[in-house]
Structure formats: C-alpha cells, structure tokens
Amino acid sequence: MKQAHTTRQIGGIEQAPIGLGCMNLSHAYGKPPSESESIELLHRALELGVTHFDTAALYGFGKNETLLGRAFKGIRPQIHLASKCGMTGVDGKRVIDGRPETLHRTIDAALTRLNTDAIDLYYLHRIDPKVPIEDSVGAMSDMVQAGKVRAIGLSEASADSIRRAHAVHPITALQTEYSLWSRNAEIAVLDVCRELDITFTAFSPLARGFLANGVTDVNTLLDSDIRKGMPRFQPAAFTENLKLLAQLNTLAIEVSLPLNQLALAWLLHQGEHIIPIPGTTSVAHLESNIAAAQLSLDDAVLERLDAIVNHNTVTGARYPAPTQLEIDTEEFLA
C-alpha cells in the first residue's frame, strides 16, 4: 500500500499536495465563469487548504492575473503565487518572446495585475528558440535580485534545457503536462527534476477533463474551446480513447472511487516531488479533486491504471503539429 503525503514542497516551502491551475477561469475552455463565481471558487480552494495557485500572463491575455490580484487582495501572504512569462497576448495573438527586455516588461505588468510586490514562483512559459535559454533565465535571475520574484521555474522544458538553465540560476520548479495519458515527462524530465531537487508541477493532470468524465462527446465542445483543435479530441481518435475511458470507469466502480480522484491519486504516487495543479470552474469538482490527496492506492490498482492508459494505448498526439514545434519537452519516437 502506498500513501500520498499530506504536504509537498516548492523550494523548501511546504505546500498542499494538490494546487490549483487557474487558467480555465479566464481562458481556453469555452465561456469562463463570472468574476464573482471565479473568486468564490478561489476562496473555497483556500478554505480547503490549497496553497499553490498557478496563473500566467497568457491566460485571458492578463485577465487571469487581474482576477487573482482581486481575489487575494488583503490575504496575499496566505498563498503561494505562481505566474509565467515568455508567452503573452500581443494584438490578440499568442506570441512567444523570451528576450530579456520583453521579460522585464512582463514582470512589471504582472506585478501590477496581481496586486503584489513579488511573485513567489515565476516560470518561463515557453523557451523561445530565437533566444538562448541562458539569456532568458539570466533576465529572470535579475528579477530575483531585484526582489520582484522569489524563485524561478520553467514550463515545457527538456532535461537538457533544465540543466542549462539551472547552471545560470537555481530552477525551483518545472511545469509540464503529466497524467495517465500524457507520459512524456517520464522520458527524462521527472528524473532530472528528482536529481536536481526541482519540484514538478503537473498541469492538465486530468487530461483536460477526459479523466474526470468531463468530455464524453466532442460535439458538445464550443468553437472557442482549445480541445477542438487537439488531435486526441478529433472524432476518430476520441472514439478510440473512449474505449479506454470505459475501462477506467469500470475500475473506478470496482474500487469505489470517482475517476478524477483515482487519476490524481495515481499521479501523486509517481513521486514525492510532484504537485498536480488541476483546474476547474466547479466548486463541487474542486472539492472532489482536493480530496484525492487523502487517498492511498494498492500496487495492483496502480498497475492496472498503467496497463489501461499509457503512451502505447492513447490515440493521437498531445498537440497539433504547429504547436508541437513550440514545445521543448522530449517526445516519444513514433
């Protein structure tokens, strides 16, 4: 029997084992909730013991940072706040720009939107292929020296890039998609994070809702939903992936656990340096997700989960080809 820990760490600071990804309160998955509904959810997460809240300049092109700035006004010391730079909205379009001068502008704008003097953890959202990672991380190191940022992270970075960045300034956290159906991190990144004492924050730990039975019919997705363009959610691939979902639901019934909790508990058991950051717009789903931290899973259940959903059984790539070109994380060979 394996037991999930009650706390984990980011840069030596204790955190709840499950954080909150805040993107979908402003961005990506169709129409977001109202500001009042979003603030209610953020406050409920804090009540439930969530300490780590994750946002980015990209999300809602600044709206998500502004939302968190309003939600946590007056109670900022109670949370561990993470945001990201290097990928923002410019004239309504997503732009990757890791130039030092751009990053310095981004941090000042982020601090204003977040209504804070310093960000606890600041990620380079994407590595700009036109800019040496040493230059981008060097600029972020300057932010630490200036007191604007307390720790630096990377997002969607390969093991080699992590090592190069870490040589410039200590990397505190690495954020990449990781779930039962997205295993790229297992190629090299999880190991290098363990070696260098870097926390791994897992985004989309519920496979963009798939592992929570949140998407069972792709025809119901709004045109503004980014999943509409993702290979795994295309009709033919999705039909195949639904077969995996049926097997997962059968297992969930056998062990008397909601599928979302089963998926999150599996992830927590993959390493003590891993903190999942599921996002949601539902308070009920939030409460269910956070409860997964209290679960333990038998080795037999973990093995069955691995056998049902893994790199070889999932149909479709993680991202469309143009987006994949922007990702530095290692990929499985075809």
Side-chain angles (χ1 to χ4, degrees), residues 150-168:
R150 298 192 175 102
I152 293 174
L154 301 175
S155 178
E156 291 282 23
S158 66
D160 178 66
S161 294
I162 294 168
R163 291 185 187 281
R164 288 172 56 194
H166 196 68
V168 175

Side-chain angles (χ1 to χ4, degrees), residues 12-34:
I13 302 172
E14 281 200 349
Q15 306 291 338
I18 296 177
L20 183 67
C22 301
M23 179 182 75
N24 59 355
L25 298 177
S26 307
H27 185 89
Y29 296 132
K31 184 179 179 181
S34 68

Side-chain angles (χ1 to χ4, degrees), residues 18 86 96 110 147 172 183 204 211 241 301 312:
I18 296 177
I96 295 174
T172 295
R183 305 292 195 92
S204 295
L211 295 175
N241 290 326
V301 173
N312 293 314

Side-chain angles (χ1 to χ4, degrees), residues 156 175-187 190 194 200-207 211 263-264 266-271 273-277 306 318:
E156 291 282 23
Q175 183 174 129
T176 291
E177 182 175 0
Y178 188 34
S179 70
L180 278 164
W181 87 339
S182 289
R183 305 292 195 92
N184 305 72
E186 295 176 353
I187 299 172
L190 279 174
R194 191 179 290 109
F200 185 104
T201 55
F203 78 78
S204 295
L206 294 174
L211 295 175
L264 288 170
W266 174 88
L267 189 53
L268 286 168
H269 287 316
Q270 301 313 301
H273 63 313
I274 297 171
I275 296 180
I277 52 168
D306 274 320
R318 233 182 5 129

